[in-house]
Amino acid sequence: MVLSEFVGAIRRRWYLAVVGILLTGVLGWSASAFVAPTYTARGLVLMLPSKNAVGPGGNPFLGLGGLDLPARVVVAYYTSAPAQEAIAEVTPGAAVTVSMEESTRGPVIAIDVSADSEANAIEALNFVADSIPDTLGRLQDEVNAKGNARLRSRPLALDETAAIDGSGPLRARIMAVVLGLAMTAVLVYAIDGIVLRRRLAREERAASLAAQDAAYDDEPDQDDQYDRYDQDNRDDRGDDHVVQRLHG
């Protein structure tokens, strides 16, 4: 599609473009109205060293080094099918992502929840946060960690209210507007091409008919041919009469 042709089509069919833009606006509003917003919540859980590693009267926050790997083991469990199924049973439709909080250098586990309601988002967040100590304990049971040698965890920060994520309706609105404008442009260009082709065909037919009429007008009429033939015969008879009189 040549840009000049497209601009020309828009100028000639501006009324169609206006109608398409208005319909695109309606489409964009409808898309945002029918796409429900999502609710997001976030929580952070900190891994803590064992009591043996801290020692009597020690500070657990000074012994966080080396806990990154155990934290990643816990994160890996929540990516498994059994963990996701357990979360889905508690809050159907909620999307939960458990990952390492890369903005910190410590063993911090991040829980990101997205749900169709604020209640479901908070419920899913609390369920996962509360399950981390049990998951950590079960994993240590499997390696026979005992007593004061066991790692611990504690919530670092948990959202009490979910935030509304309006990106879904916004994306739907943008996609609807882009689609509507694209369809408007294509339809205007196509309709303009059809109209121009039909007009050109009519002009060609009119020119062809005009040429045929002109050619027909240039040809001698049968009546004119008969009159000329009759006049020639009379002239010949007149000449014969004059000759006879001269020889008479």
Side-chain angles (χ1 to χ4, degrees):
M1 182 186 299
V2 181
L3 180 60
S4 59
E5 295 180 357
F6 174 75
V7 174
I10 293 296
R11 288 179 179 177
R12 287 187 294 269
R13 315 297 165 195
W14 60 268
Y15 48 90
L16 294 178
V18 171
V19 173
I21 292 173
L22 293 177
L23 292 177
T24 297
V26 174
L27 181 63
W29 178 85
S30 300
S32 61
F34 286 101
V35 176
T38 57
Y39 294 82
T40 61
R42 198 166 200 265
L44 299 175
V45 176
L46 176 66
M47 294 282 293
L48 293 174
S50 65
K51 292 181 179 180
N52 288 342
V54 175
N59 187 347
F61 290 102
L62 298 179
L64 297 180
L67 297 181
D68 183 77
L69 182 57
R72 292 184 181 277
V73 172
V74 174
V75 168
Y77 165 75
Y78 283 97
T79 63
S80 65
Q84 292 296 321
E85 291 174 358
I87 296 172
E89 290 179 0
V90 175
T91 54
V96 179
T97 301
V98 180
S99 61
M100 295 296 298
E101 178 55 49
E102 301 298 345
S103 64
T104 65
R105 295 184 179 180
V108 179
I109 300 173
I111 308 168
D112 292 289
V113 179
S114 177
D116 54 359
S117 68
E118 181 177 7
N120 286 341
I122 297 301
E123 183 179 8
L125 174 63
N126 291 332
F127 171 76
V128 175
D130 293 340
S131 69
I132 287 179
D134 296 334
T135 300
L136 181 60
R138 188 181 69 256
L139 292 174
Q140 292 181 98
D141 289 340
E142 294 176 357
V143 295
N144 296 319
K146 303 295 183 180
N148 292 336
R150 296 170 69 91
L151 300 176
R152 299 165 293 164
S153 67
R154 58 160 297 172
L156 189 60
L158 294 176
D159 288 341
E160 296 181 356
T161 59
I164 298 178
D165 182 8
S167 61
L170 178 61
R171 286 194 299 268
R173 186 182 299 114
I174 292 174
M175 292 179 62
V177 170
V178 171
L179 178 62
L181 292 178
M183 292 180 61
T184 298
V186 171
L187 288 176
V188 169
Y189 186 79
I191 292 174
D192 181 71
I194 293 172
V195 172
L196 291 181
R197 285 193 296 271
R198 288 182 176 178
R199 181 182 300 173
L200 179 60
R202 288 196 301 268
E203 292 176 353
E204 290 178 349
R205 285 197 299 268
S208 178
L209 291 175
Q212 292 177 4
D213 291 340
Y216 181 78
D217 292 339
D218 291 340
E219 293 179 357
D221 188 70
Q222 291 182 356
D223 293 338
D224 293 339
Q225 292 179 354
Y226 177 77
D227 292 340
R228 287 196 296 270
Y229 177 77
D230 185 59
Q231 182 64 38
D232 292 339
N233 288 336
R234 287 197 298 269
D235 291 342
D236 292 340
R237 289 195 299 269
D239 293 340
D240 293 340
H241 181 67
V242 172
V243 171
Q244 289 176 3
R245 291 182 62 183
L246 291 176
H247 290 282

